[in-house]
Every structure is written in structure tokens, then in C-alpha cells.
Amino acid sequence: MHDDTPIGEMIPFTITRYRNNELSEEASRVAAEIPLTFHVNGRELATLMCTPSHLKAFACGFLVTSGFIKSADDILSFSLDETKWRADIKVRDLVDPDLLGQRVYTSGCGKGVMYTSMMELSSRHPIQSDVQIHGSDIIAVIHWLQHCSDLHRITGGVHSASASIKGQIPDFFIDDIGRHNAVDKVLGTLLLGKTDCAKVMLACTGRISSEIVHKARRLDIPVLASRGAPTHQSILLAKEMGITLVGFVRPTNFAVFTHAQRILENGDNK
């Protein structure tokens, strides 16, 4: 029988727990996962597995950071069918997906920088931002992000992301089963809210890969910080794009991989 109950971010299950050499049944909750298909101007662009929340922001962030559209203003309409998990979106000036699929490599110090398309290659020029953030504020933001999610605390199955203005504690965060999805949802929220990203720090809990750096660059975000590790491609890209890349954020320390001039020590003025 079909169940019409809306799917939330968590799904209840009965599990068997092994503890102290004994088995027993108990109630549990796990992170929900749905396949969301984007139909844009009548064309199926992608099906992505995600958490069923903030789906309009997800669509906006995905379309802009993937290069299909330039801004949130290009979205003319959005409708969601939760029975089929299909988002029908009308946009102006949709970029041909066939133009976004060819990888491009540049050379430098024996380590090539990878771009997934000529469009990304054209955005390699450095970000111009004079924002500076206290190191203690970066630690505070990541600590807050790590502990603010009930969905992560209960299920352990999601990543979290948020956006801080000049190191302030953010006023929202978003969870998703995918690192990229959580970032797209945050960036979509900024786009829909027409936030000026010149002083934004994108905060994440997961690994910083090259795709995350590309997404930050699309919105001219100058600082990217995470509790997780960067990859070598993300470091090369951040260096070339003028993005301050911070990883391994812990209660007393972190590592700055690129453009450390934006990080202030205690006692410095912003």
C-alpha cells in the first residue's frame, strides 16, 4: 500500500543492537535519502541523491555553481512533485550542458590544475576581497557548526554547511547526506537572499574537494573553512583563485593552506 506520509529528514527504523554480549531491539532514526531530478526548460539535467529539505535553494545553488545559469534571477519558476521527487524549473538563457563537460588542465610547478570546463577556466582570476577574519572566530564558527545539528547528532549520516559574515556566528545552517549538496543549498540560500558574498566565509564539516572551491568561486566567496581536510587540487585552485583555504579546524588550531593574509591573530584589528 502506498504511504502518502511526507518524508522528513529522518526515518524511524527498528534495529538490533549488540551491547554487552547481548542482542536487543530498539528504535532508531536514520537520515532520509531521496532521488531529486532536475527538469530544466523541459530537459532532464541531473538526478541527485539528497536530503529532502531546502530543495529550491538546492536547485538554485546547483544550477548557478554548475554554470547552467548566472544568478537566481534567471529562475523564472520552480515547482516540486514530492511523489516523483521531480523539480520542474524554467530559466532564462540556459547554458547548453554539452558545453560544460570537457575537462581542461593547466600546468604549474609540475602539478596540473584541473577545470571541468572552459567556463570554470575563465573564472580562474583571483578574487579581490579585503576581508579579514580573526582566527578565534573561525574556530568558534566551526565549533558551532559541528554541534548545532540535531540531524547529525541523532543519525550521524549528514554533512553540515553554513555561511558566516566576517567571522560572525551564522544565523542558519543546512544539512545534507552529500557534502556538495549541503554547500549548494547554502549557496542557493545566499543567492535567493541576494547576499553580498564579498565578506562571506563558507563553513563546512566535510572534506574540501576541488568542486567545493569551484562553487565558492562562482559566488566570489573569499574564505573557505572546514573541520575536514583539503585535497591537493583544492589547494592549487584556491591559490590560483585568491581564496583563503582553511582546514583541520580544531578547538585550538587550524591549518591555512592559501592566502593567509586574511587571517588575523588575537589583538589584531579587523
Side-chain angles (χ1 to χ4, degrees), residues 9-268:
E9 293 182 328
M10 292 182 281
I11 308 296
F13 281 90
T14 298
I15 66 170
T16 300
R17 174 77 66 185
Y18 180 82
R19 181 186 289 116
N20 298 326
N21 296 318
E22 294 182 352
L23 294 172
S24 62
E25 287 193 349
E26 65 178 54
S28 181
R29 287 178 286 177
V30 301
E33 178 181 25
I34 60 99
L36 182 63
T37 300
F38 295 121
H39 280 255
V40 184
N41 291 0
R43 180 171 181 171
E44 182 176 326
L45 287 188
T47 297
L48 301 176
M49 306 306 295
C50 66
T51 300
S53 68
H54 304 88
L55 297 183
K56 183 176 181 179
F58 184 24
C60 181
F62 171 77
L63 292 174
V64 171
T65 63
S66 298
F68 291 114
I69 59 177
K70 294 181 179 179
S71 72
D73 292 336
D74 289 333
I75 298 177
L76 304 177
S77 67
F78 174 90
S79 63
L80 179 66
D81 183 342
E82 294 190 13
T83 62
K84 299 178 179 179
W85 292 113
R86 167 173 163 161
D88 285 286
I89 309 162
K90 290 184 180 180
V91 304
R92 63 167 64 92
D93 300 327
L94 176 68
V95 173
D96 186 346
D98 294 336
L99 300 177
L100 300 175
Q102 185 176 5
R103 288 193 180 98
V104 181
Y105 292 86
T106 64
S107 61
C109 301
K111 296 187 283 291
V113 181
M114 184 179 68
Y115 295 83
T116 58
S117 70
M118 289 301 295
M119 180 172 295
E120 287 183 350
L121 181 62
S122 67
S123 68
R124 63 189 291 189
H125 56 276
I127 289 175
Q128 301 299 322
S129 172
D130 60 359
V131 67
Q132 291 185 302
I133 301 175
H134 280 120
S136 58
D137 290 339
I138 293 176
I139 289 174
V141 168
I142 296 300
H143 177 82
W144 171 84
L145 183 62
Q146 186 184 357
H147 293 89
C148 64
S149 170
D150 288 339
L151 182 58
H152 181 269
R153 178 179 57 81
I154 293 171
T155 71
V158 295
H159 295 279
S160 303
S162 190
S164 165
I165 306 297
K166 295 192 295 185
Q168 298 176 10
I169 297 298
D171 57 9
F172 77 99
F173 69 93
I174 296 178
D175 298 320
D176 199 277
I177 58 171
R179 294 178 297 113
H180 302 81
N181 299 346
V183 168
D184 275 339
K185 289 178 177 182
V186 168
L187 299 185
T189 300
L190 297 177
L191 287 162
L192 291 170
K194 300 188 183 302
T195 302
D196 179 2
C197 293
K199 299 185 184 301
V200 164
M201 179 180 72
L202 178 62
C204 313
T205 57
R207 184 178 71 256
I208 307 172
S209 58
S210 59
E211 300 97 323
I212 302 297
V213 176
H214 279 303
K215 290 176 184 298
R217 179 65 186 84
R218 290 285 292 174
L219 270 67
D220 291 333
I221 291 175
V223 183
L224 176 55
S226 177
R227 192 176 189 278
T231 66
H232 93 278
Q233 279 289 333
S234 67
I235 295 170
L236 295 177
L237 286 168
K239 183 177 181 179
E240 192 166 76
M241 293 178 171
I243 295 174
T244 299
L245 185 61
V246 177
F248 299 114
V249 181
R250 297 295 186 268
T252 61
N253 68 92
F254 54 76
V256 185
F257 293 89
T258 58
H259 299 285
Q261 74 275 8
R262 295 197 181 99
I263 310 303
L264 294 175
E265 298 177 348
N266 288 343
D268 291 338

